[in-house]
Amino acid sequence: MRTQVAIIGAGPAGLLLSHLLHLNGIEAIVLESRTQAEIEATIRAGVLEQGTMDILNNAGVGARMQAEGALHHGIELAFGGQRHRIDLTELTGKAITVYPQHEVIKDLVAARLAAQGQLLFEVSGVQLHGVDTTTPSVAFVHRGEAARIEADFVIGCDGYHGVARPAMPGQGRQDFKRDYGFGWFGVLVESAPSSDELIYARHERGFALVSTRTPTVQRLYFQCDPADHVDNWSDDRIWAELHARLENDDGWRVNEGRIFQKNIIGMRSFVSTPMQSGRLFLAGDAAHIVPPTGAKGMNLAVSDVALLAQGLEQFYRRGSEERLQGYTAAALKRVWRAEYFSWWMTSLLHTFADATPFQREVQRAELECVVGSRAMATALAENYVGAF
Ligand SMILES: Cc1cc2nc3c(=O)[nH]c(=O)nc-3n(C[C@H](O)[C@H](O)[C@H](O)COP(=O)(O)OP(=O)(O)OC[C@H]3O[C@@H](n4cnc5c(N)ncnc54)[C@H](O)[C@@H]3O)c2cc1C
């Protein structure tokens, strides 16, 4: 097989990139290890910045997002028994949209299939070859048959555990990591939303988040030991923990409902640089991870591939590699801002096992400054909506 761009991974990054390339008349083949049904059912992110919405709308895949997504003009910070609203729109003129990542995936898959795009599901044994030449290739197995794609470029959109990053030449690489030592216990619940806006709660027992996915499905999280196991948590124990952490003085309570999914995710920050070597480029979680506190992961995946699409368009239309050469520098500017914000939100809202009483008081004082100072609230709001 021969194509212009071989893309590994059909997450938001890989699917959107293949669609943006298609709109520019550039051929791509996407290789995905899971089934279509699996990628369309993986419930993950849900907060879209305005810039992400603009990219999806301009690519012609935003109709359902506009119809079904929920525009949020604020978030709430809860601590000390009280809730405090951060008015995102009043402070920044912008808002965020809650529209689940798996719905974005469905929209992108539908658009790719409608355009006869090449999406190969259930591939295995993906191996990259010749990425430091102008004729890279990808070997893999599909439907029991060994196959190979010859391409001009290979783009690794295969997430944190994929094969593309390990295939990067080791020389000159630098990885930046922070492991927070705690995780998030996430549940999906069948119920009406408990709140019109997301609630980020800091409590002595640990952080909790009231988020939403659709009018009938809610996403709730609470800070936990990353080595804990979901089997240790009965539904009753989960609700008791959520009520304890989210309780406040005005009698508001989180809505209970049938819990139909439980999972634990570790909290880490990670950046691998450079995001390119020869004809191999990384985008999205393959190159960087943020703790979900800042709701930036999917937004970064989208902004990476928007940059890559521009670079590839310039290459094929004008024969210039200038934008592609500048990809790492351009992407990292935004990546590091998101890393900073996600780290800051995480530090502000979680309990740390090694925190001294002094550090706990400073954390509480910082939260009071954020909700009491327009300047600090604006800084949070600008970062949250991706205003700069
Ligand atoms: C529980 C959770 C909650 C989150 N909440 C938010 C949020 O609120 N807001 C936000 O912006 N972000 C959030 N994120 C992060 C967001 O989901 C990710 O940043 C986003 O999925 C990254 O997209 P991606 O396309 O780079 O990678 P992925 O979505 O990980 O896609 C990679 C794809 O590559 C495939 N793949 C992997 N290896 C191979 C291989 N060897 N061969 C072929 N295919 C392969 C995988 O099957 C997968 O489909 C959350 C993440 C999690 C886990």
Side-chain angles (χ1 to χ4, degrees):
M1 269 185 263
R2 157 95 210 147
T3 192
Q4 290 174 303
V5 182
I7 298 172
I8 308 168
L15 289 168
L16 179 60
L17 178 60
S18 70
H19 190 61
L20 294 174
L21 294 179
H22 161 74
L23 296 176
N24 281 303
I26 301 166
E27 277 177 21
I29 300 177
V30 180
L31 302 178
E32 167 58 50
S33 54
R34 295 182 296 158
T35 64
Q36 180 180 344
E38 280 169 331
I39 65 165
E40 291 185 347
T42 304
I43 299 183
R44 280 178 143 205
V47 174
L48 307 184
E49 296 174 353
Q50 184 61 49
T52 299
M53 288 184 64
D54 293 345
I55 291 168
L56 295 171
N57 282 328
N58 292 338
V61 289
R64 223 162 52 88
M65 171 184 72
Q66 286 186 58
E68 296 173 21
L71 206 58
H72 286 213
H73 295 283
I75 58 169
E76 297 201 22
L77 299 183
F79 59 94
Q82 293 194 329
R83 281 164 41 191
H84 309 261
R85 184 164 188 264
I86 305 287
D87 191 327
L88 300 172
T89 305
E90 202 247 324
L91 293 167
T92 68
K94 297 192 178 191
I96 50 119
T97 292
V98 174
Y99 183 65
Q101 176 170 323
H102 68 286
E103 301 295 345
V104 175
I105 296 269
K106 283 184 203 167
D107 296 341
L108 286 166
V109 169
R112 296 309 303 121
L113 296 179
Q116 268 96 47
Q118 292 208 66
L119 272 178
L120 304 186
F121 291 103
E122 295 181 82
V123 305
S124 58
V126 172
Q127 287 181 347
L128 282 61
H129 299 283
V131 293
D132 47 357
T133 71
T134 53
T135 53
S137 63
V138 183
F140 59 99
V141 175
H142 186 229
R143 297 190 177 135
E145 303 265 321
R148 179 181 286 265
I149 299 174
E150 316 281 346
D152 299 330
F153 296 94
V154 178
I155 316 292
C157 298
D158 49 349
Y160 183 70
H161 299 288
V163 294
R165 192 177 65 253
M168 282 271 185
Q171 209 182 6
R173 294 209 64 70
Q174 191 170 8
D175 288 351
F176 301 84
K177 295 178 198 176
R178 161 112 208 225
D179 198 324
Y180 293 87
F182 47 74
W184 277 14
F185 196 111
V187 292
L188 282 166
V189 180
E190 269 174 12
S191 78
S194 298
S195 159
D196 291 339
E197 295 175 340
L198 274 66
I199 303 173
Y200 290 80
R202 189 224 174 263
H203 191 274
E204 290 85 65
R205 297 179 70 88
F207 170 76
L209 172 63
V210 177
S211 181
T212 182
R213 286 297 175 264
T214 69
T216 54
V217 173
Q218 313 313 319
R219 186 60 140 156
L220 306 171
Y221 290 107
F222 58 91
Q223 181 182 347
C224 68
D225 178 345
D228 207 339
H229 197 277
V230 291
D231 294 345
N232 295 332
W233 288 82
S234 66
D235 292 3
D236 286 347
R237 188 177 170 212
I238 290 170
W239 288 119
E241 195 61 42
L242 283 165
H243 287 306
R245 295 187 192 193
L246 291 163
E247 69 190 5
N248 61 37
D249 297 341
D250 64 9
W252 173 88
R253 275 170 73 82
V254 65
N255 286 342
E256 293 193 17
R258 186 178 76 84
I259 294 176
F260 63 95
Q261 197 192 90
K262 305 176 186 177
N263 67 331
I264 292 177
I265 51 167
M267 298 283 282
R268 68 167 78 88
S269 301
F270 174 76
V271 180
S272 185
T273 63
M275 290 167 65
Q276 64 197 91
S277 176
R279 289 293 180 96
L280 173 61
F281 292 75
L282 302 179
D285 279 15
H288 41 73
I289 296 284
V290 282
T293 331
K296 292 288 174 232
M298 178 165 51
N299 294 297
L300 284 180
V302 167
S303 58
D304 282 355
V305 297
L307 284 173
L308 269 178
Q310 288 167 3
L312 290 163
E313 190 214 350
Q314 192 190 52
F315 176 85
Y316 284 109
R317 234 175 236 173
R318 287 181 244 148
S320 164
E321 291 200 35
E322 195 187 335
R323 280 190 178 217
L324 284 177
Q325 294 298 341
Y327 169 65
T328 293
L332 283 182
K333 266 192 192 166
R334 210 179 126 78
V335 167
W336 274 115
R337 272 208 309 262
E339 291 287 346
Y340 154 71
F341 178 63
S342 305
W343 163 84
W344 180 74
M345 283 284 277
T346 303
S347 308
L348 184 69
L349 291 161
H350 290 74
T351 52
F352 289 78
D354 59 354
T356 62
F358 175 83
Q359 286 166 322
R360 282 196 287 274
E361 287 304 309
V362 167
Q363 187 188 41
R364 189 187 49 74
E366 188 171 17
L367 271 165
E368 280 174 4
C369 287
V370 169
V371 300
S373 149
R374 187 176 173 88
M376 286 188 72
T378 304
L380 186 158
E382 285 177 344
N383 279 288
Y384 197 82
V385 302
F388 59 90

